[in-house]
Amino acid sequence: MAKRKRKKSSSNFLTYIAWGLAVIAISLGSLVGGYYIGYEAAKNDISKKVKADKKKRLTMLQKLEDASAKKAKTSVNTRLKDVLKKESKINAGAAAHEYGDATLPEPPAPPRRDFKKIVSKPMLAIIIDDVSVRSHINAIKSLGIPLTMSFLPPSKFRPNSARLAAKEKFYMVHLPMEAQNFSAEEPMTLRISDSDDKIASRIQEIKKDFPRVSYINNHTGSKFTADELSMNRLIYALKAQNINFIDSRTTVDTKAPKVMKNFGLNYVARDVFLDHAMDKGSIKAQIKRAVKIAKLHGTAIAIGHPHANTLMALHESKKLFKDVELVYINRLY
């Protein structure tokens, strides 16, 4: 009887162990299952948060891109209105143009050229004279086409012109010279009474202010360029500084062709004034004329100014330029 009791007790003990192990297994399973479920839930939460953050960043980037695009799409009209505002503020000291004087109702004719067709694409250089303030530069650059900016030397009314030019990869200088009859003469205008030393000194000053200048063209200058001695002095001084002269042709009596030939240099001059008449229709007609000349001769030079109508006409004439290559002046000569 005692032996039977011990056997039953042993069986109960094993049962308890089995149940204990079962409970432990269930508990561990619950823990593992809970951990797994919690991990998956946390993983899903993190994934959702990452996606939300990514979406938020993309939305912010899109807004920034839209704002940037909107700013970039600021109309040329708006920029040119800014030019007009700035022009009105500095109007008292703004450069005037000799051909606008009552004594010059029409601009002087361009130089005579032999007709010469070329196989390669014709090239047209457009010079924008009288550049002197930041608004001019911004408006010119907003067109997105290569226009050669010719900067007036620093003066009381435009003290920063040289500093502005220094920020550009390429520029010219628009050098004031004596006119036959002009009421709005620029400070430090070269005169026919100036000596060799005075002219040489002035060109040295220009080179100091504009160290990378390699081309200049005349602002006004109908009297100066018509005087052979004065032009000899000027070309000699420019050659000493490795600066090329582009004749704006403010007079048919210019002695530049003869003087340039005597120095063994090519005579280079503008073919078209774009804005002698400043209404947009007339300017567009002159643009067509410049393109035609380029196609006839292989090259052409046009001169305009940073007036709103001039820049708008250029902006609206981009289709005309498909038959020519617009280039900076240094590509021509």
Side-chain angles (χ1 to χ4, degrees), residues 241-254:
Q241 298 294 333
N242 295 313
I243 300 174
N244 301 288
F245 179 68
I246 309 291
D247 192 356
S248 298
R249 283 190 70 86
T250 53
T251 175
V252 292
D253 298 322
T254 177

Side-chain angles (χ1 to χ4, degrees), residues 3 5 63 65 69 71 80 121 153 163 185 199 208 219 246 251 258 266 272 278 296 322:
K3 283 184 180 178
K5 248 182 189 182
K63 285 180 180 178
E65 286 178 6
K71 187 176 180 182
L80 299 183
K121 199 168 187 179
R163 283 195 287 271
E185 189 174 84
I199 290 174
K208 184 179 178 182
H219 171 70
I246 309 291
T251 175
K258 181 180 178 180
N266 291 326
V272 176
M278 287 176 58
L296 284 172
K322 68 181 187 298

Side-chain angles (χ1 to χ4, degrees), residues 225 227-236 255-265:
T225 57
D227 187 85
E228 187 175 343
L229 179 59
S230 297
M231 285 303 296
N232 266 294
R233 290 169 174 162
L234 175 65
I235 300 303
Y236 181 82
K255 296 298 186 291
K258 181 180 178 180
V259 172
M260 300 287 280
K261 185 178 179 180
N262 290 341
F263 276 90
L265 301 171

